[in-house]
Amino acid sequence: MQSVLSGPHVILGLKVAVIAVTGLLLAALVALAFGKIRLHGRINLVFFILTVTALLAFEVVIRLLNPTAFAYIDAEPGLRRALNIHLCFSVPSALLMPLMLYTGLTRRRTLHLALAIVFGVLWVGTFVTGVFFLPHTAGP
């Protein structure tokens, strides 16, 4: 029987989390389109908290609870390449999130909009590579 903290289960959980917070991100953009800037900010705060919580939980699982969870990915060059491509999008987007939050909360509109464009491109890459490229099964 496979552990709930196995690599494929962790990836499946992260896919669900990415899809869910992407829904929040889209809701924040809809709020913005309707001129509801305060609601946009509140939704983005929830987006930030949930995303950081998921990242921290992920790190606890793969660093402390099950460090060998992704051995199956390391053993397969194609899977490793897919993970590396995903990380090229997800790590910079995670690093931009606090800056986005700060510039939004401090109303630094020009910088916030510039960062939003970069973050948007990175998040689309994170979504596509995370949901469609990473396997949530260990076998062929």
Side-chain angles (χ1 to χ4, degrees):
M1 186 168 142
Q2 216 175 24
S3 164
V4 173
L5 297 178
S6 71
H9 287 112
V10 171
I11 288 179
L12 183 59
L14 286 171
K15 286 182 179 197
V16 170
V18 165
I19 291 167
V21 296
T22 299
L24 281 174
L25 188 58
L26 293 174
L29 293 174
V30 168
L32 192 60
F34 282 100
K36 306 288 186 179
I37 295 175
R38 187 176 169 105
L39 179 59
H40 168 78
R42 288 183 177 191
I43 294 170
N44 276 332
L45 183 58
V46 173
F47 169 86
F48 176 83
I49 291 167
L50 290 176
T51 303
V52 169
T53 301
L55 287 172
L56 291 175
F58 172 74
E59 287 297 323
V60 166
V61 168
I62 68 165
R63 304 280 184 221
L64 303 174
L65 300 178
N66 190 0
T68 62
F70 295 123
Y72 74 103
I73 288 179
D74 291 332
E76 175 62 42
L79 297 180
R80 181 34 119 175
R81 186 173 32 263
L83 179 60
N84 287 343
I85 292 168
H86 173 70
L87 292 173
C88 286
F89 290 103
S90 63
V91 170
S93 68
L95 294 174
L96 270 182
M97 283 191 334
L99 291 172
M100 289 289 300
L101 187 63
Y102 174 76
T103 58
L105 291 172
T106 58
R107 294 180 170 84
R108 297 171 193 261
R109 188 174 189 272
T110 303
L111 181 55
H112 186 72
L113 291 174
L115 290 173
I117 292 167
V118 175
F119 179 80
V121 169
L122 291 170
W123 190 261
V124 168
T126 297
F127 182 89
V128 169
T129 60
V131 173
F132 299 112
F133 290 2
L134 295 180
H136 56 270
T137 58

